[in-house]
Amino acid sequence: MTNDIRNNWTIEEIREIYDTPILQLISRAGEVHKKYQATGEVQVCTLLSVKTGGCQEDCSYCSQSSRYDTAVEAEKLLSYEDVIGSALDAKNSGSTRFCMGAAWRNVRDNSDFDKMIEMVKGVNTLGLEVCCTLGMLTEEQAKRLKEAGLYAYNHNLDTSEEYYGNVITTRTYGDRLKTLDNVEKAGLSVCCGGIIGLGESDDDRIKLLHTLATRKAHPESVPVNALVPVEGTPLGDLPRVKVWEVVRMIATARILMPKAMVRLSAGRNEMSYEQQALCFLAGANSIFSGEKLLTTPNPGCDADSEMFELLGLTPRDSFKLEKSEALQE
Ligand code: SAM
Ligand code: DTB
Ligand code: SF4
């Protein structure tokens, strides 16, 4: 394993990895993990929906699209004080990354964006890695966020380019890729992953991983979400994916992108500690903590503390990459 940071993976190579018998796959991913990551260390992150619901987009999995009749009501942007209060709580409960989400199609140059900029500044001063997920944005908007102290931007590709139109019709895969380029140009850390369980095939998952792993620079962060079926959405009746599928996706991502943080994201609420342990063995090294993700339930802090204790996991420090690079200089 000398040359394992590669961005010339072929679909066939990825398929071969993805199709490996599961225990062999976990074992190989574990070797890569041991070489590039601190085994047993898991970053704890907190999500906050700062602008909930009323979104114009038609993402067929989403509780926040105004096109579907779900239990989520449209709300206004949260106040600066509320957001900073939540960030402080997150820090005090052990989170090192704070991600603010808005149900926007794209960022607009309006007073809400000015307020977001202030929130980013405020959270940054708390010493947390600040992340935002606000929909599509321009290079100028990405630069403004960077100057305010934003560390990372989350923008998922969700699935393969071929399957995308079955899930979302109000924007294209190309639109998403353009935003990722803008995020990169602004010097922000890229967080980009997907969802499994949307009715896609294994080939669609392989193609998504191919798109991520053949970018000039791998995303620093790759969230793997399992669909949380939401009543009222077109995908509300789909069955939940099997844990083996989550493990397979995580392990393949770990092998393809050894240095990335692979985040076990949506879907954890239905997973036992044993099932989550398999995900950590397969290379996941981050979770979202707290009783809510953006709008759906998540295991609370008490359950997660118990799991960390049981599995002997330690929470990862913030800005670890930068700190280790500074030491090497
Ligand atoms: N509006 C912004 C956007 O779409 O980029 C940011 C918020 S959006 C809710 C963030 C990501 O959450 C989506 O890209 C999707 O991958 C994930 N997500 C949303 N609803 C989900 C669900 N029901 N189950 C699993 N993942 C979900
Ligand atoms: C990501 O990939 N997963 C997180 C984070 N990025 C923003 C969001 C999951 C949302 C799950 C559905 C909800 O709670 O509304
Ligand atoms: Fe809007 Fe994002 Fe939900 Fe799509 S995923 S409907 S863009 S909030």
Side-chain angles (χ1 to χ4, degrees):
M1 272 201 293
T2 44
N3 187 23
D4 24 32
I5 310 291
R6 292 175 44 194
N7 58 3
N8 61 352
W9 296 99
T10 64
I11 290 275
E12 290 68 34
E13 282 176 307
I14 298 177
R15 189 175 292 122
E16 206 180 310
I17 298 171
Y18 182 91
D19 284 339
T20 312
I22 194 75
L23 293 181
Q24 253 167 271
L25 180 61
I26 295 173
S27 162
R28 177 164 171 199
E31 277 169 37
V32 174
H33 194 86
K34 203 154 53 187
K35 188 164 165 196
Y36 288 94
Q37 304 285 340
T39 314
E41 229 181 55
V42 171
Q43 185 177 29
V44 181
C45 313
T46 297
L47 279 170
L48 178 68
S49 182
V50 298
K51 163 68 188 83
T52 304
C55 184
Q56 305 156 37
E57 299 283 78
D58 70 352
C59 311
S60 51
Y61 47 76
C62 188
S63 62
Q64 304 196 67
S65 165
S66 61
R67 299 175 188 239
Y68 316 126
D69 189 13
T70 71
V72 173
E73 298 290 337
E75 288 170 24
K76 284 201 316 217
L77 186 68
L78 293 185
S79 71
Y80 178 86
E81 289 70 29
D82 284 351
V83 171
I84 300 304
S86 298
L88 206 52
D89 290 346
K91 184 177 171 159
N92 291 336
S93 68
S95 271
T96 56
R97 186 164 168 124
F98 190 72
C99 180
M100 294 176 274
W104 289 335
R105 169 179 163 75
N106 58 292
V107 172
R108 291 184 205 155
D109 295 309
N110 58 15
S111 60
D112 273 359
F113 186 41
D114 297 340
K115 288 181 200 159
M116 279 298 326
I117 292 289
E118 291 312 307
M119 293 174 194
V120 168
K121 285 184 188 160
V123 178
N124 186 38
T125 56
L126 301 178
L128 292 160
E129 290 178 16
V130 198
C131 177
C132 277
T133 181
L134 314 172
M136 296 180 277
L137 43 62
T138 63
E139 189 179 338
E140 289 64 39
Q141 291 165 337
K143 283 188 174 144
R144 227 184 124 195
L145 285 163
K146 168 85 183 169
E147 276 156 25
L150 190 75
Y151 181 71
Y153 196 80
N154 164 255
H155 200 65
N156 291 340
L157 287 170
D158 284 343
T159 188
S160 70
E161 183 162 17
E162 289 78 358
Y163 197 68
Y164 203 70
N166 296 309
V167 183
I168 299 150
T169 68
T170 48
R171 56 171 188 251
T172 65
Y173 215 64
D175 292 333
R176 284 311 257 194
L177 290 167
K178 180 84 185 78
T179 291
L180 289 172
D181 289 343
N182 292 339
V183 169
E184 253 170 18
K185 280 190 221 150
L188 290 164
S189 177
V190 174
C191 174
C192 182
I195 314 184
I196 59 170
L198 305 168
E200 76 287 349
S201 64
D202 285 327
D203 244 31
D204 291 310
R205 295 177 190 172
I206 289 163
K207 283 179 184 156
L208 165 66
L209 289 167
H210 181 255
T211 304
L212 296 172
T214 56
R215 284 185 69 76
K216 217 192 238 155
H218 294 164
E220 283 84 3
S221 161
V222 179
V224 174
N225 296 282
L227 176 73
V228 179
V230 175
E231 206 183 319
T233 62
L235 304 185
D237 290 329
L238 285 188
R240 288 180 186 269
V241 292
K242 299 225 161 40
V243 72
W244 303 113
E245 300 178 71
V246 181
V247 170
R248 193 173 284 289
M249 197 69 185
I250 288 173
T252 311
R254 170 54 66 222
I255 294 165
L256 299 177
M257 296 169 279
K259 290 188 172 171
M261 296 297 295
V262 177
R263 305 191 194 270
L264 169 58
S265 304
R268 223 162 50 77
N269 204 39
E270 282 64 40
M271 289 169 72
S272 65
Y273 295 155
E274 290 86 344
Q275 290 176 335
Q276 294 181 63
L278 282 173
C279 295
F280 299 130
L281 285 172
N285 59 350
S286 170
I287 56 164
F288 289 107
S289 81
E291 272 162 19
K292 210 154 72 162
L293 286 166
L294 289 171
T295 67
T296 63
N298 193 47
C301 287
D302 292 349
D304 285 340
S305 303
E306 188 178 69
M307 176 175 75
F308 270 56
E309 179 80 30
L310 260 172
L311 303 181
L313 298 173
T314 49
R316 180 182 159 112
D317 208 1
S318 55
F319 305 110
K320 196 166 171 201
L321 193 66
E322 287 69 13
K323 284 174 189 160
S324 69
E325 278 167 1
L327 279 178
Q328 281 161 23
E329 274 165 16

